[in-house]
């Protein structure tokens, strides 16, 4: 079997396509086209066709894409045709909002634990969770075979938490702390920092 | 004067460089190098030198960069050497977390108003803000000449809110609702959806 490396920027667009397709399914739609997807997303139809063609043949010229089939295929490519357990570290404003966020369901993820090291927070309820002692983090994450975590602690603590998560077996981290963290080869980090997004736009204003 | 178009991907890295430089300043550092910055950020030193060279000459070969000077220059390029007022729409979990978030200060932004259309939320306090009636949104945003807004409403309402923000004069939007929104030419949108970030990583797991 030929293994072909897909550019990271293409991989990064697949979740956007999937989100739009799932929205169309919710709207009761059955068939779409690269034109329609492109208009919804502000991406050219040619780009969408080219991206999808990297992974196979998903539609016939002239008849468009079956939304159901295409979203199943993209889910499988992204490995979100299953449910991944996710641990959240930090039960402050952002960690709490993330833990209560309903938007993970049906998109491949489920938060299963939230940790904090503040004695005033440990044992309290956030949505359906009881905040657990961060001292137990490595053990509980490793026992549950969790490989995905979200960091929502102050910047000064983010690197230390990341190191502990990696030791516990975590392979993919979403970091809400506004600081770059260093992780070993083979561990993936994505950043969510609203200021980075804002500053990207002010350049153009 | 020659006007040169800088690739969007380069513009997108400048906020990351700026964040690292500001962190170094907080650490009391004076001088850095593309090597050190690269190690902190997981970006090659050559890439950093190439990106910065698009905007001018910021350091001397062999002596490195003055952190203070370089961060001032990047701040000016990104137009965050001033403070932009920001409106938040939606006072749910995410909107509230954003409104209370301290990480905007000193990075070019200041949230000045938050809106919701829920009578139970209007008039309540979130951090230092009183939630205002979303019916007043267009008028208050236009009067205050606010050009940046963050959308933190349910997906079903995001497009309608975006349309109203654009009418009120907003030019740049951070959208926390997990849905793509359509805006006229010349309006900028950045998306924050943790699932998109998670799905980007599961592909590699």
């Amino acid at each position: 079997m030929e293994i072909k490396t897909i550019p990271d920027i293409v991989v990064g667009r697949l979740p956007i396509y999937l989100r739009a397709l799932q929205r169309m399914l919710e709207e009761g739609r059955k068939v779409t086209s690269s034109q329609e997807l492109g208009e919804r997303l502000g991406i050219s139809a040619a780009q969408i066709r080219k991206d999808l063609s990297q992974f196979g043949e998903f539609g016939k010229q002239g008849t468009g894409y079956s939304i159901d089939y295409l979203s199943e295929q993209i889910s499988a490519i992204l490995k979100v045709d299953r449910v991944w357990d996710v641990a959240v570290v930090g039960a402050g404003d952002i960690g709490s909002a993330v833990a209560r966020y309903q938007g993970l369901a049906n998109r491949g993820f489920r938060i299963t634990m939230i940790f904090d090291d503040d004695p005033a927070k440990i044992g309290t309820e956030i949505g359906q969770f009881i905040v657990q002692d961060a001292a137990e983090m490595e053990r509980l994450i490793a026992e549950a075979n969790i490989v995905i975590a979200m960091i929502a602690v102050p910047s000064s603590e983010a690197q230390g938490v990341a190191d502990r998560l990696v030791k516990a077996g975590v392979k993919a981290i979403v970091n809400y702390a506004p600081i770059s963290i260093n992780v070993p080869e083979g561990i993936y980090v994505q950043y969510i920092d609203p200021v980075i997004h804002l500053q990207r736009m002010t350049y153009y204003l």
Side-chain angles (χ1 to χ4, degrees), chain A residues 39 134 172 196:
Chain A
E39 276 162 29
I196 297 289

Side-chain angles (χ1 to χ4, degrees), chain A residues 80-105:
Chain A
V80 291
D81 52 353
R82 68 209 75 177
V83 177
W84 298 83
D85 288 345
V86 177
V88 175
V89 187
D93 279 331
I94 294 173
S96 303
V98 167
R100 273 194 293 257
Y101 181 56
Q102 301 298 315
L104 300 183

Side-chain angles (χ1 to χ4, degrees), chain A residues 123-176:
Chain A
T124 62
E125 279 179 43
I126 293 180
Q128 56 179 308
F129 304 101
I130 307 276
V131 177
Q132 301 193 75
D133 188 345
E136 298 289 314
M137 185 163 82
E138 287 93 327
R139 186 177 63 78
L140 291 170
I141 287 175
E143 279 176 11
N145 286 312
I146 289 178
V147 297
I148 302 179
M150 302 174 102
I151 296 181
V153 301
S155 292
S156 56
E157 295 173 31
Q159 183 65 55
V161 168
D163 294 343
R164 291 171 60 194
L165 290 172
V166 170
K167 262 187 219 155
V170 166
K171 305 286 180 217
I173 294 170
V174 171
N175 180 23
Y176 280 92

Side-chain angles (χ1 to χ4, degrees), chain A residues 23 26 66 82-83 110-111 122 141 148 159 198 203:
Chain A
R23 168 91 18 199
E26 285 164 26
S66 154
R82 68 209 75 177
V83 177
R110 170 177 66 191
I111 290 170
I122 296 164
I141 287 175
I148 302 179
Q159 183 65 55
L198 289 166
Y203 173 81

